[in-house]
Structure formats: C-alpha cells, structure tokens
C-alpha cells in the first residue's frame, strides 16, 4: 500500500486509521486536539505536527473531520494539506460534507496537481471499528481505483457512484432514509410501550418481519432504556440533514419526513446534541411518557 496520512482522529477517524495501520499501511496521523494520536502511535503510526506535514509524508491522505468548513480548514488553512502535498498526491475525504463544496475543493486541489476522491461512510462507530463500513465514492475512475486498497482496509461495501461529489450526494440520500428509520422505530416503540407491550419481546417479534432494520437491531435498546451513548452524534445528523435539504432545494424538491426530523432534532440540539441520534426517541417519549415513571426529564419537541 502507498504511504497513507490520516487527518481527524475522532470517533470514526481513530477507528478507521487503526484498521489502516493493522492492514500494514505506513501511516502518519494528525489530530487538532493533542493526545488523540497516542493509541495509534502505540500501534506503530507516526504523529505529524500539522496536516501539511502529514501530507508531505504521504502519497494518499485521508480526511475524517466534522463539517464542510472543517474540511476546508485542514485542506487550505494555515498548515493545511495543500501546503505540504506534492503533485500527484491523492486526497480521500471520508467526512460527510456538501457535494457542491467538495467539487470546489477538488478544483482548487487540481490546480496544485493534487487529486481528490470523496468517500463518505455509513455504518456507525461499530462499522468503523470492525472495518465493515459502507463507502460511497465519487471521483475520476483512475483516482477511485487508486483509493480502493485504502478504502478496502476501512470498509466492506465500496461503491463508485460517479464524478467527484457523487459520494456526498449518495450519503445525503442515506441520511434522509435513516431519518425516517430512526423516527419510525422511536414512534413504534413508544406506541408499543404505551400499549403495555414488553418492549424487548416486541423488538424480537418485529425482527422477523417487514419492520426489521439496522436501527431496530442496533438502536432499539437505547430507545427502550432512554439512554443514548454514542454512536453517531445527533448534531452530526442534523448537519447531514442540512446538506440533504440544501441539495433538495437546489433540485426544487421538498422532503417532508426529513424536514420533520430536522425540526425535532433542532428541539433536541441544545441539551442532547452530543448524544446518539437515537435520542430522537427521547423527544417522542417526552410527548408520550410510557406507562411507569419516565427515566429522564422529557426532551423539548
Ligand atoms: P467526532 O468524533 O466529533 O470527531 C470529529 C473529528 O474532526 C475530530 O478529530 C476533530 O478534532 C476533527 N475536527 C473537527 N473540526 C476540525 C477543524 N476545524 N480542524 C481540524 N480538525 C477538526 O466525529 P465523528 O463521529 O468521527 O465524525 C467524523 C465525520 O464522519 C463527520 O463528517 C460525520 O458526519 C461522519 N460520520 C460519522 C459517523 C458516526 O457514526 N460517528 C458515521 C458516518 C459518518 P478534535 O479532536 O480536535 O475535536
């Protein structure tokens, strides 16, 4: 594998970088907040002092930071990747950001002889840890081909959807679909509990039928307990819905279920933004406290 750099060692990035290191990559990592590289250094990675230095030591550099302005900062800000990357470097952006901004970043990098692939991921922190992520790739054929060994170390289902930005558009679709899935499971479970059903037996029963889903299998327990450890931060999903709703507006589309979820999430952000996005169930429970005492103060709706 070519020399790989990794910028952004959060919930996702740290686990994805660890899988790259285990796959035998010669890895250089950087994170804004110091101290987060220690575990990777323990696995054999080198720590760089800036994104620019990480890029200078790498042929391929992976980014996994929060939002569009953050990707812009690590690419083009002071000490950014574009300062250190030699011509011929490939940037793989695994963050979930705006498709239009991705195309603009790609143009700016191309002026410096640097190629870019967008490769946002799905599958949660579990998928990142286990290396089973679904990856939506966008970019020129040759660039995606070159990115593949790196992507294969981090994910299982890798699909090339088209030009640069296509991966981000596909990820926006993913986030719209999961809006309905989380809200549907939350409403169903609250209805079941209110109707006096044993929620665990209910989930077991539902798992064999048409209501079966990743959310039901992996997040129903949190919704039943009304405790929402990460996972995937609610604030990040709200950010992703913003991207999807902006894309829909550009295409003159309205997405009623996504808009409803965005409104519910807006009501939860201040108190619950850093909790798992399954905390949408807390808002539904707040409106409909289950029989027996609610475990927490109801969330705003
Ligand atoms: P996270 O745990 O909050 O980590 C965010 C990372 O981005 C941290 O390393 C943070 O550095 C870095 N960062 C943020 N702003 C930065 C800036 N301006 N300059 C430099 N570094 C910056 O988030 P995450 O869950 O890993 O998510 C990362 C990306 O993956 C997001 O785009 C998210 O939407 C996407 N994603 C997440 C999941 C999930 O289940 N968590 C699933 C699929 C996709 P510090 O340590 O200094 O804060």
């Amino acid at each position: 594998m070519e020399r790989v750099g990794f910028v952004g060692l959060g919930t996702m990035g740290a686990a994805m970088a660890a899988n790259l290191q285990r796959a035998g990559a010669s890895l250089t990592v950087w994170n804004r907040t110091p101290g987060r590289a220690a575990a990777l250094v323990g696995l054999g990675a080198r720590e760089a002092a800036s994104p620019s230095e990480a890029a200078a030591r790498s042929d391929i550099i992976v980014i996994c930071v929060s939002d569009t302005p953050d990707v812009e900062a690590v690419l083009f800000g002071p000490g950014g990747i574009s300062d250190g990357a030699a011509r011929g470097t490939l940037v793989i952006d695994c963050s979930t950001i705006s498709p239009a901004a991705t195309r603009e970043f790609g143009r700016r990098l191309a002026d410096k002889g640097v190629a870019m692939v967008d490769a946002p991921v799905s599958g949660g922190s579990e998928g990142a840890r286990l290396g089973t992520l679904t990856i939506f790739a966008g970019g020129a054929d040759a660039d995606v081909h070159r990115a593949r060994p790196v992507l294969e170390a981090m994910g299982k289902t890798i699909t090339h959807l088209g030009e640069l930005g296509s991966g981000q558009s596909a990820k926006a679709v993913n986030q719209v679909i999961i809006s309905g899935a989380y809200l549907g499971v939350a409403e169903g479970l609250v209805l079941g509990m209110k109707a006096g059903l044993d929620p665990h037996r209910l989930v077991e029963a539902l798992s064999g039928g048409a209501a079966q889903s990743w959310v039901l299998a992996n997040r129903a327990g949190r919704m039943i307990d009304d405790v929402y450890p990460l996972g995937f931060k609610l604030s990040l999903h709200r950010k992703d819905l913003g991207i999807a709703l902006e894309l829909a507006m550009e295409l003159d589309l309205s997405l009623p279920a996504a808009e409803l979820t965005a409104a519910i999430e807006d009501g939860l952000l201040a108190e619950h933004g850093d909790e798992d996005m399954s905390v949408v169930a807390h808002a539904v429970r707040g409106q409909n406290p289950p029989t027996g005492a609610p475990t927490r103060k109801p969330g705003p709706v």
Side-chain angles (χ1 to χ4, degrees):
M1 202 184 294
E2 295 180 87
R3 294 174 306 156
V4 182
F6 206 107
V7 165
L9 306 173
T11 308
M12 298 299 282
M16 291 157 71
N19 284 330
L20 274 165
Q21 181 66 36
R22 288 187 201 105
S26 164
L27 194 66
T28 305
V29 299
W30 177 83
N31 192 69
R32 178 180 61 180
T33 302
R36 298 218 167 134
L40 280 154
V41 170
L43 287 176
R46 291 198 296 174
E47 185 172 8
S50 64
S52 161
E53 189 187 318
R57 287 196 202 158
S58 307
D59 306 303
I60 297 182
I61 185 139
V62 184
I63 303 173
C64 191
V65 296
S66 308
D67 200 353
T68 306
D70 308 313
V71 173
E72 183 164 26
V74 298
L75 280 174
F76 305 110
I81 288 169
S82 70
D83 285 346
R87 294 185 79 78
T89 302
L90 174 67
V91 170
I92 303 176
D93 181 23
C94 291
S95 325
T96 301
I97 67 163
S98 147
T102 295
R103 288 189 289 272
E104 191 220 314
F105 297 161
R107 282 190 290 273
R108 288 165 71 184
L109 288 171
D111 288 344
K112 300 194 159 212
V114 172
M116 181 172 181
V117 162
D118 57 317
V121 304
S122 172
S125 49
E126 295 91 335
R129 219 175 41 250
L130 299 171
T132 55
L133 291 168
T134 289
I135 305 184
F136 308 104
D141 286 347
D143 296 333
V144 174
H145 180 75
R146 185 177 167 198
R148 221 166 242 285
V150 170
L151 300 179
E152 281 169 355
M154 305 187 295
K156 197 164 145 203
T157 309
I158 298 146
T159 310
H160 183 193
L161 288 131
E163 298 288 294
L164 186 66
S166 308
Q168 296 294 355
S169 297
K171 174 72 195 219
V173 171
N174 188 81
Q175 298 310 75
V176 165
I177 292 174
I178 68 169
S179 296
Y182 276 79
L183 207 52
V185 171
E187 287 193 358
L189 288 178
V190 172
L191 176 65
M193 289 190 284
K194 188 82 178 163
L197 298 171
D198 173 335
H200 298 284
R201 292 203 68 200
L202 175 61
V203 169
E204 239 178 84
L206 292 166
S207 299
Q212 186 274 335
S213 70
W214 186 94
V215 179
L216 185 72
N218 293 283
R219 296 293 182 259
R222 296 171 189 196
M223 296 182 182
I224 292 166
D225 296 343
D226 203 21
V227 174
Y228 306 95
L230 291 175
F232 179 46
K233 280 182 201 159
L234 179 89
S235 59
L236 288 178
H237 185 258
R238 179 63 186 89
K239 177 260 301 180
D240 296 350
L241 275 185
I243 293 167
L245 292 171
E246 192 180 297
L247 182 62
M249 204 154 62
E250 284 165 22
L251 300 170
D252 209 15
L253 261 182
S254 91
L255 304 176
E259 281 163 19
L260 173 62
T261 308
I264 291 172
E265 290 183 352
D266 283 343
L268 288 163
L269 271 181
E271 263 193 78
H272 302 284
D274 285 340
E275 291 176 63
D276 188 74
M277 98 164 257
S278 46
V279 73
V280 291
H282 188 58
V284 180
R285 290 173 75 121
Q287 284 189 318
N288 307 287
T291 314
T295 52
R296 300 185 343 158
K297 188 162 71 83
V301 177

